[in-house]
Every structure is written in structure tokens, then in C-alpha cells.
Amino acid sequence: MRLAIFAMAAALAATVPLTAEQDHQRILDELHITTLRPGVDGDARAPNAANYDEAKANPAPDLPDPLKLRDGTPVTSRDMWWQHRREEIATDYEAEVYGKLPAAAPILKWVVAGTAPETIGKVAATTRHLVAHPGGLSPAAFDITMTVSLPASAKAPVPVVLLLSGGAKAGRPSTWRAQVLARGWGAAELDVTSVQPDDGADLVKGVIGLVNAGKPRDLHDWGVLRAWAWGASRAMDYFEEDAAIDSAHVGIAGHSRYGKAALIAMAYDARYAVAYISSSGAGGAALLRRNFGERIENLAGTGEYHWFAGEFLQYAGPKTAADLPVDAHELFALAAPRPIFVGAGAKGDNWVDPRGMFMAEVAAGPVYALLGKKGLETATMPPVGKGLTGGELAFRQHAEGHTPEPNWPAFLAFAQRYLRPAPKKG
């Protein structure tokens, strides 16, 4: 009887859009999970309040060793890393956390929808408004949007910093574009929610829905974070085709959930030269084996489950974060040996566990060392306002809250080493 009911529910799901709650339950049914552990609450007065006591935070978690093959063999050479261990980690992340990239992803054709002069800070710039129309699959029911602002006076291809965002939103004005343009670089912004909406009820839309022809995902299918990272790779495709852009020197940035996607893009697309990962927290740069701020149970709830593969939900049910074959330090390892700057706030940003992000960078250090690069300069977390930027892994915690703004100057100074402007002609 249960199988018959499940078959009927599956057939109905193929024709009737599900709410996030219904789709979440559908995944639990497929995993044969009856209940998940509840997430924690950011309100300190709540009965299930998040932990912010470092003594109770699992301060020395037992992490998977990025330099040991699955069979326990130590990774002692760069060839072993590139040919064997890195692929194991990438496969585990796809299978258990972010989902697999589909074999038949759509082909994008970027079109310049408009061009306008703009003064950004004190720099005269030309801003292109780009639209990508998914092709190769039909029907193409959505457009992907991106802006690219380049210095109007540029005489040679310029480096670019790409920001992943959720589109224009009211709030604190950002000067990041002005800071980037002031260095002679270009500033691009990709609205990742135009790639894939940020809602479990909308998994039948966007690029995920397009690939699945409007049907619900399988358990190993990609989640929203991987789809956003895929969108970042399609932005890079455009940069490679634009003669005004130095595509060998492109950085990627993102804050909070968009920081998670930026780190995934950095891990899976070797074309990005440097990254700014701001306050990305659990599911991004923070160790999932920590008990501090947001937990894996929150990620698996109805508000965020769609970011991940269906298989990920089991780690908030019969399994725990300790059962995961990977953790955040290995996401950094996938990006090695390229440079990554991690930022966070101090006042009101504990939910994303700044120390857990710092610890993940420290634990990724041996991979960077194996590949001939320097990680963090110390395993001791620096005081607020002091940046560690001497190696390819960098960290800085500013004194404000959940915002990337105070760390942009420090990141851009760090990125200057890697995004050097192309020599001028003549």
C-alpha cells in the first residue's frame, strides 16, 4: 500500500508543482527518513538556541584527511593529488552535498541588451547589460542577467572581479564597483537568482527545472548552490570571448549564501584566479562538524534544503555531520593552489561561525603546501581588524556585522598580487 501511495504521489509531483514543504517531504520519503533533527534558532532566548560557547563548539573536530586516499594511502606527491585524491573529494561533494552537474546542461548565448556610460566613483566607465538565453533545450522560459562595467579609458584587456548576487535589493549602498574600477579593473555582477530561483518550490523552474523538463529532482541531482556556481562558469565563458577582458585574471566574490556559491565555483572552475568569500558559513567555508551558530540541521530544513542534493538531508537525520566524507576544508582544497580571501564580521555575524571558517582554511593548508604554495601564516585566529594575507589563503574579520563592505579594501589589496593589469600597448 505504501509503495502504491508513493507511486501516486510521484506521478502527481510530475504534473502539479509542489510547495517547498511537499518537495522536502518527497525527498525524505525517497530516503526512507521519517524525521530530521530540528535546526537551531538564532534567538538566544529560544529553547533550541544556537550555541555560541566555544567550549561547547567541538573546538577540535576530527576532520577527514585531505591528503589520504579513501583506502588510507597517504598522498605524498602532486601527481597523487591531481590524479587521484582531488577527484575523490570532488566526487564525494557531488554525491553527498551539492549534487551532480547534469550531462545535458543548456548552452548559453550572451547578448548585449544595452550599453550605457556611467561614472562609478571617480572613474568613467561603460556598462554593458547582458542577457543569456538558454539554448539546446526547450522551452527556454527564463533569461540570465549580468552587468559588466569596464573603465572607459582602458587601452588593453583588463582584469575583472565578478560578484555573485541576488540582484538589486534595497539596503546599504555598496562601493565595491568604485573600488574595483579605481584599480583599473572591470566589475561584473551576475544575478544568480536569474539562473535559478532561491526557493524549493521553484526547483521546477530556472536551469534545474529546464534540465529536468519541469519534473522534481532525483536524489543526486544538483541543488541551487551548484546551479549558481554553474552560472558563474557561464559568465566566465563570456569573459573569455570578450576582447576587452583579460580572462586569465578574473576574480570571483560573494557574500553569505552567494559566498557559498562563489566558493563552489572556485572549487570546480579552475579559470577563476582569486576569490573573496564573505560570511558564507555552514554549507560554504565553515566546518560542518562544528557546533557553533547555524548547523547542518538548519541547512536540511525546508528553508534551505534546495541548496543541496537530496542525499544531503540524511546527515540531519539518521546520520550526522561527522558521517560526511568531506568537510569545508576540502572545498578549499579543491580550489588549491589558487588564492582565497575569507572575510567575516564580528558584531552579529556569529551565525556563520567565523572561527569555523578560519579553521577550515588552516586545515586546507597542507594541500596548498603540497602544491608549493603557502596557506595561512598561523593556526591562531587573529584579532578583529587584523588580516592574514601573506599566503595564498587569507582571512580577516572586521568589526561590523553581516556585511562584506569593510573587507573589500583588504581583499582588493590581496587580489592585486594576482589580478595584475595587463601591460599597456605602445
Side-chain angles (χ1 to χ4, degrees):
M1 176 64 73
R2 180 176 176 82
L3 290 176
I5 293 174
F6 181 76
M8 291 174 61
L12 183 64
T15 58
V16 179
L18 301 177
T19 65
E21 290 74 15
Q22 290 170 332
D23 185 59
H24 186 265
Q25 184 60 53
R26 177 190 64 82
I27 293 174
L28 295 182
D29 290 342
E30 290 192 25
L31 291 169
H32 306 292
I33 295 175
T34 57
T35 185
L36 296 178
R37 297 183 300 276
V40 295
D41 197 314
D43 186 347
R45 298 166 297 181
N48 61 331
N51 173 59
Y52 294 123
D53 182 350
E54 187 58 36
K56 301 176 182 178
N58 192 15
D62 184 14
L63 299 176
D65 191 338
L67 291 181
K68 280 188 178 179
L69 299 179
R70 287 182 186 142
D71 65 6
T73 303
V75 176
T76 57
S77 70
R78 298 179 189 182
D79 284 346
M80 288 183 69
W81 169 258
W82 291 117
Q83 296 176 16
H84 300 290
R85 182 56 178 150
R86 189 184 184 282
E87 182 61 28
E88 287 183 347
I89 295 171
T91 299
D92 284 340
Y93 261 111
E94 286 191 332
E96 305 298 325
V97 185
Y98 300 121
K100 294 182 178 180
L101 202 66
I107 299 169
L108 296 190
K109 180 180 179 181
W110 289 98
V111 176
V112 178
T115 303
E118 186 177 4
T119 300
I120 302 174
K122 297 181 180 180
V123 179
T126 301
T127 297
R128 302 172 189 171
H129 297 271
L130 296 147
V131 177
H133 305 281
L137 296 173
S138 61
F142 64 102
D143 294 330
I144 298 173
T145 58
M146 177 171 65
T147 61
V148 179
S149 301
L150 303 177
S153 62
K155 304 299 183 183
V158 299
V160 166
V161 175
L162 172 69
L163 178 69
L164 305 187
S165 76
K169 294 181 179 179
R172 175 178 178 176
S174 175
T175 64
W176 78 272
R177 289 199 307 156
Q179 295 179 60
V180 171
L181 268 291
R183 290 179 178 269
W185 306 340
E189 186 166 358
L190 174 67
D191 177 3
V192 293
T193 61
S194 70
V195 176
Q196 181 62 44
D198 187 12
D199 193 315
D202 288 333
L203 289 169
V204 295
K205 301 178 182 178
V207 68
I208 294 176
L210 182 62
V211 169
N212 287 345
K215 297 179 181 178
R217 296 181 301 163
D218 290 335
L219 293 178
H220 291 292
D221 284 351
W222 54 343
V224 169
L225 292 177
R226 190 73 196 276
W228 288 351
W230 172 87
S233 290
R234 305 291 71 78
M236 177 60 86
D237 294 344
Y238 171 79
F239 300 149
E240 289 185 324
E241 295 176 356
D242 191 330
I245 293 173
D246 178 3
S247 61
H249 296 91
V250 176
I252 188 168
H255 173 66
S256 197
R257 64 192 64 189
Y258 311 121
K260 303 181 203 292
L263 184 54
I264 297 166
M266 187 72 171
Y268 281 95
D269 194 330
R271 295 176 294 176
Y272 280 103
V274 63
Y276 172 24
I277 310 302
S278 172
S279 298
S280 66
L287 294 171
L288 289 168
R289 283 165 169 79
R290 291 258 297 168
N291 173 25
F292 195 97
E294 186 174 26
R295 301 295 309 280
I296 199 168
E297 290 80 6
N298 296 87
L299 300 177
T302 57
E304 298 176 3
Y305 81 98
H306 56 282
W307 293 346
F308 305 92
E311 289 284 357
F312 182 70
L313 272 63
Q314 64 184 313
Y315 294 98
K319 299 181 180 181
T320 70
D323 296 309
L324 273 168
V326 290
D327 212 325
H329 63 305
E330 291 172 311
L331 194 56
F332 285 100
L334 290 180
R338 287 167 293 140
I340 301 175
F341 179 103
V342 172
K347 185 178 180 181
D349 211 21
N350 279 337
W351 181 253
V352 303
D353 190 12
R355 183 177 293 275
M357 293 189 287
F358 176 79
M359 291 171 63
E361 286 192 279
V362 171
V367 177
Y368 277 76
L370 178 73
L371 300 179
K373 297 296 182 179
K374 184 179 179 181
L376 288 173
E377 300 153 271
T378 176
T380 301
M381 190 169 172
V384 173
K386 177 178 174 55
L388 296 177
T389 59
E392 267 61 46
L393 291 174
F395 179 87
R396 185 177 187 273
Q397 188 177 12
H398 61 73
E400 296 186 39
H402 189 62
T403 171
E405 298 305 314
N407 272 336
W408 270 106
F411 163 67
L412 293 175
F414 172 74
Q416 181 74 41
R417 302 205 303 258
Y418 310 100
L419 301 184
R420 297 182 180 91
K424 294 182 178 180
K425 296 181 180 179

